[in-house]
């Protein structure tokens, strides 16, 4: 502000202007002629009056601007409040966008972005309209799917089929069984009861085991969407290996009088399981389930879960029965032999079958063909079952079998080589899509079953090869692509897989990339009085990976016409609630999901540790490169010393 010529001070209240000198006398301002207040008629008269009064030496107080009205004050307060509200909303929007970006970066693949750079052809307005129209349709489909899956729409045909039904499930505590129970609770809320065959294990009774199972993270979404559903899951104490499934008379009467749908998913999935155990669960248990099903007075459908690899001796596997390696009764008799004797004769028993799992599952299908005749029954043959694709959460798994264990070993830097044919198809299916196919198969079987039907048990090869194939090479590459950006803090070394289709080269790699490093680490641990674990770890790893050799070096051609026919018979709403169309699955999306699920649910490494993991990954990279250069230098130096020596010996 400008002070007056006589050392006056400027006093400004809300709307009153006074100029007073230090002694309290008023003075004049020589520059008032230039004041902007004289430019407005509202203030010019008041200013002229003030100047005249000052010239006479009189005191006067003039309110130049006038007092604000009540309305003006209210409007000012409203503007201030609106400004504050807008600022708060802006901060909240910024935080939500920041959080959404972080979550999307961690758990969702990058959305496709149209490229309009000068290196690409210009995109016309019509193409943009088409693009956004497709986006709108996709958004509408997603909204309809959310409405259907959350029970905010009329029930679909499959949901109506499961309404008021009593389902008896075996294998409910396994990987596939858990997802199946969760899906029934969440998507078939009107179901009456889910009976689960379960036995005491590791000091826990059947009821405690079931309650612990339902408390797992997998079921959180089901509990939110169907809070009362937990009371519909009822444990039935029994054992697949025991005669009559180990059921008490009361439970058997309950099942035979109430059960309308049976899903036999119990199996030992250990490929190297003892023949006696595999026979007891996979074959004898299936036979006992079929006997129980015949006693069920209101049975509508029976789905037996087999495997696509139950007939690996055939290169083109169709949706039909094949001649079993031996009869059900013969296998039951053989499995009673002494364990040592069984181990000796096992190779000759298996013949063309790679392991006891495939062997007993083939004979279990023969049990279904013989003892399931005349019942509304079907067989679903999934291939290698891996983590969830989308439901109830992306990437959930608790199984380390098959490719999952392989990817864990590769991602942590433990597995450095693998014996595989990179151009062979790796036939895998997500567990949630598999469960949807199983639930749909029961509905489809009941719908098309004819009374007194004596043959034509439908078989469904639920596989990915015919419609959506991926080779082992592409699968490994996609995992490398997503894994490099999402490493784990549990990594012990940098990525460095050296796959080969030559078994002798594999043995060479295995010696130098697995055995020698493990030996050196264990020697260091011995010198520092630490526990030696690396050699033992690699023995276990190689035992597991050797089981995969048979499947990673061969390829089968599957027919899945029955699966396609069943999928095409589903209505739009059913396809949204029970999706299993394998041809519509994205392998890029699936592998990213697969890796994140392994990281979070198996390795127990939360997504929040990604910054820390990336720093460690960078350190391991430089260590890896240093070791490679050092090793190469040593090899070249030895070659430099060795070649002259050989030349001298030859030339003598």
């Amino acid at each position: 502000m400008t002070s007056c010529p006589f050392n006056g001070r400027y006093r400004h209240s809300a709307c009153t202007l006074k100029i007073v000198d230090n002694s309290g006398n008023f003075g004049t301002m020589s520059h008032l002629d230039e004041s902007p207040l004289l430019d407005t008629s509202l203030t010019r008269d008041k200013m002229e009056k003030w100047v005249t009064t000052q010239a006479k030496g009189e005191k006067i107080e003039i309110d130049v601007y006038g007092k604000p009205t009540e309305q003006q004050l209210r409007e000012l307060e409203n503007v201030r409040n609106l400004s504050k509200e807008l600022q708060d909303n802006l901060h909240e929007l910024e935080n939500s966008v920041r959080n959404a970006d972080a979550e999307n970066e961690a758990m969702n693949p990058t959305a496709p972005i149209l490229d309009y750079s000068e290196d690409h052809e210009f995109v016309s307005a019509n193409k943009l309209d088409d693009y956004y129209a497709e986006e709108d349709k996709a958004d509408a489909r997603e909204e309809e799917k959310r409405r259907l899956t959350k029970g905010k729409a009329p029930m679909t045909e499959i949901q109506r089929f499961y309404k008021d039904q009593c389902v008896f499930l075996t294998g409910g505590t396994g990987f596939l069984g858990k997802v199946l129970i969760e899906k029934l609770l969440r998507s078939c809320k009107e179901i009456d009861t889910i009976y689960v065959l379960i036995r005491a294990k590791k000091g826990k009774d059947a009821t405690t085991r079931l309650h612990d199972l339902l408390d797992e993270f997998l079921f959180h979404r089901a509990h939110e969407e169907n809070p009362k559903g937990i009371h519909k899951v009822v444990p039935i104490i029994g054992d697949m290996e025991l005669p009559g499934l180990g059921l008490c008379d009361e439970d058997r009467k309950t099942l035979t009088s109430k059960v309308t749908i049976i899903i036999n998913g119990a199996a030992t999935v250990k490929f190297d399981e003892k023949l006696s155990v595999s026979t007891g669960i996979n074959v004898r248990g299936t036979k006992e389930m079929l006997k129980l099903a015949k006693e069920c007075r209101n049975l509508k459908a029976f789905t037996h879960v087999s495997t696509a690899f139950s007939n690996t001796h055939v290169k083109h596997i169709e949706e039909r029965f094949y001649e079993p390696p031996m009869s059900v009764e013969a296998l039951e008799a053989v499995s009673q032999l002494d364990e040592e004797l069984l181990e000796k004769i096992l190779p000759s028993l298996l013949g063309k079958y790679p392991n006891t799992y495939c062997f007993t599952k083939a004979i279990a299908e023969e049990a279904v063909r013989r003892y399931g005749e005349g019942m509304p029954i079907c067989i679903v043959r999934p291939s290698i079952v891996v983590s969830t694709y989308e439901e109830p959460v992306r990437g959930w798994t608790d199984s380390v079998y098959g490719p999952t264990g392989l990817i864990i070993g590769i991602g942590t830097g433990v597995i450095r080589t693998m014996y595989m044919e990179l151009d062979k198809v790796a036939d895998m299916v997500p567990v949630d899509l598999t469960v949807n196919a199983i639930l749909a198969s029961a509905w489809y079987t009941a719908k098309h079953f004819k009374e007194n039907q004596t043959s034509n048990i439908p078989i469904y090869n639920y596989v990915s090869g015919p419609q959506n194939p991926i080779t082992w090479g592409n699968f490994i590459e996609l995992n490398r692509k997503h894994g490099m950006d999402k490493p784990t803090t549990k990594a012990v070394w940098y990525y460095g897989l050296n796959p080969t289709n030559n078994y002798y080269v594999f043995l060479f790699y295995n010696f130098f990339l697995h055995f020698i490093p493990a030996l050196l680490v264990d020697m260091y641990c011995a010198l520092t009085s630490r526990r030696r674990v690396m050699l033992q770890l690699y023995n276990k790893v190689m035992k597991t990976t050797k089981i995969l050799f048979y499947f990673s070096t061969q390829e089968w051609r599957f027919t899945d016409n029955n699966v396609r026919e069943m999928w095409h018979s589903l209505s739009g709403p059913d396809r949204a609630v029970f999706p299993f169309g394998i041809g519509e699955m994205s392998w890029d999306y699936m592998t990213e999901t697969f890796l994140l699920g392994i990281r979070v649910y198996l390795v127990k490494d939360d997504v929040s540790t990604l910054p820390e993991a990336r720093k460690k990954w960078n350190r391991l990279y430089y260590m890896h490169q240093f070791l490679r250069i050092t090793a190469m230098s040593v090899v070249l130096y030895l070659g430099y010393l060795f070649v002259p020596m050989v030349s001298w010996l030859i030339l003598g």
Side-chain angles (χ1 to χ4, degrees), residues 73-258:
L73 290 174
R74 283 196 301 270
E75 290 176 353
L76 178 62
E77 185 64 24
N78 289 338
V79 170
R80 288 173 176 168
N81 291 337
L82 180 60
S83 176
K84 184 177 183 303
E85 184 178 349
L86 288 173
Q87 286 183 340
D88 292 341
N89 290 342
L90 180 61
H91 289 312
E92 184 178 349
L93 180 61
E94 288 176 346
N95 291 333
S96 63
V97 170
R98 192 179 298 112
N99 293 338
D101 287 344
E103 291 177 2
N104 286 335
E105 181 182 356
M107 292 301 288
N108 291 314
T110 305
I113 300 174
L114 291 177
D115 194 335
Y116 303 117
S117 66
E118 58 185 11
D119 295 333
H120 292 76
E121 183 182 354
F122 179 72
V123 179
S124 67
N126 288 337
K127 287 185 178 180
L128 278 176
D129 289 342
D130 293 342
Y131 175 78
Y132 290 121
E134 287 299 319
E135 272 198 335
D136 291 341
K137 290 179 182 177
D139 291 341
R141 285 195 298 269
E142 284 300 313
E143 180 59 32
E144 178 65 11
K145 181 177 178 180
R146 283 192 292 270
R147 200 168 66 90
L148 288 165
T149 54
K150 291 188 176 182
K152 296 181 179 179
M155 284 194 294
T156 68
E157 188 174 353
I158 294 180
Q159 286 176 321
R160 288 196 298 272
F161 169 72
Y162 283 97
K163 184 178 183 295
D164 300 326
Q165 302 303 309
C166 292
V167 176
F168 181 39
L169 172 67
T170 66
T173 58
F175 173 48
L176 184 71
K178 291 178 184 179
V179 181
L180 208 156
I181 295 172
E182 193 279 337
K183 181 65 175 181
L184 283 172
L185 289 177
R186 180 166 49 84
S187 297
C188 302
K189 299 182 179 66
E190 300 298 320
I191 198 169
D192 185 276
T193 311
I194 304 171
Y195 293 108
V196 180
L197 186 71
I198 191 168
R199 59 189 172 92
K201 187 178 180 181
K202 296 181 180 179
K204 293 184 178 180
D205 59 54
T207 304
T208 302
R209 286 187 66 201
L210 185 61
H211 287 169
D212 290 346
L213 182 149
L214 293 172
D215 284 338
E216 292 182 16
F217 173 77
L218 175 70
F219 291 89
H220 285 191
R221 183 178 166 190
H223 293 330
E224 289 178 0
E225 296 183 19
N226 185 15
K228 297 180 180 179
I230 188 173
H231 304 294
K232 297 184 177 184
V233 186
V234 178
I236 296 293
I237 300 173
D239 192 329
M240 292 290 287
E241 294 187 75
L242 297 177
L245 301 173
L247 299 173
C248 66
D249 292 340
E250 184 179 350
D251 284 344
R252 195 173 188 91
K253 288 179 182 177
T254 299
L255 294 175
T256 55
S257 62
K258 293 186 177 182

Side-chain angles (χ1 to χ4, degrees), residues 572-591:
D574 269 325
R575 290 188 185 188
V577 180
F578 302 96
F580 62 87
I582 204 73
E584 301 174 9
M585 184 186 70
S586 164
W587 279 112
D588 188 73
Y589 181 87
M590 178 62 209
T591 48

Side-chain angles (χ1 to χ4, degrees), residues 346-506:
L346 186 59
S348 60
L349 284 175
L350 295 181
K352 297 180 180 179
Y353 289 82
N355 48 58
T356 56
Y357 173 71
C358 295
F359 181 76
T360 54
K361 292 298 278 185
I363 300 174
E365 287 190 4
E366 173 65 10
V368 173
R369 187 185 69 82
R370 285 187 55 191
Y371 298 100
E373 191 171 350
M375 290 194 294
I377 192 168
C378 71
I379 295 176
V380 176
R381 292 176 179 160
S383 57
I384 302 172
V385 181
V386 293
S387 62
T388 59
Y389 186 64
E390 283 188 316
E391 293 185 300
V393 290
R394 285 184 63 188
W396 181 87
T397 182
D398 68 353
S399 171
V400 296
Y401 292 108
T404 304
L406 173 65
I407 297 302
I408 290 175
I410 295 172
T412 54
V414 173
I415 295 180
R416 317 295 299 173
T417 184
M418 184 67 185
Y419 178 47
M420 59 171 48
E421 293 276 0
L422 296 179
D423 60 340
K424 301 293 186 184
V425 172
D427 209 300
M428 297 170 288
V429 288
V431 64
D432 52 333
L433 304 191
T434 304
V435 161
N436 290 334
I438 291 170
L439 294 176
S441 72
W443 158 77
Y444 199 65
T445 298
K447 182 177 180 180
H448 293 276
F449 178 72
K450 298 176 182 178
E451 290 295 332
N452 302 318
Q453 184 172 312
T454 57
S455 60
N456 193 30
I457 294 175
I459 297 176
Y460 302 96
N461 285 342
Y462 191 66
V463 292
S464 58
Q467 300 183 55
N468 197 354
I470 184 172
T471 63
W472 284 106
N474 288 338
F475 179 67
I476 295 294
E477 175 57 26
L478 285 173
N479 277 280
R480 187 201 64 79
K481 166 190 165 185
H482 293 296
M484 286 298 189
D485 187 52
K486 298 177 180 65
T488 171
T489 57
K490 308 294 178 65
V492 298
W493 200 252
Y494 191 73
Y495 176 91
L497 182 67
N498 298 276
T500 177
N501 60 358
N502 187 306
Y503 187 68
Y504 296 103
V505 173
F506 165 75

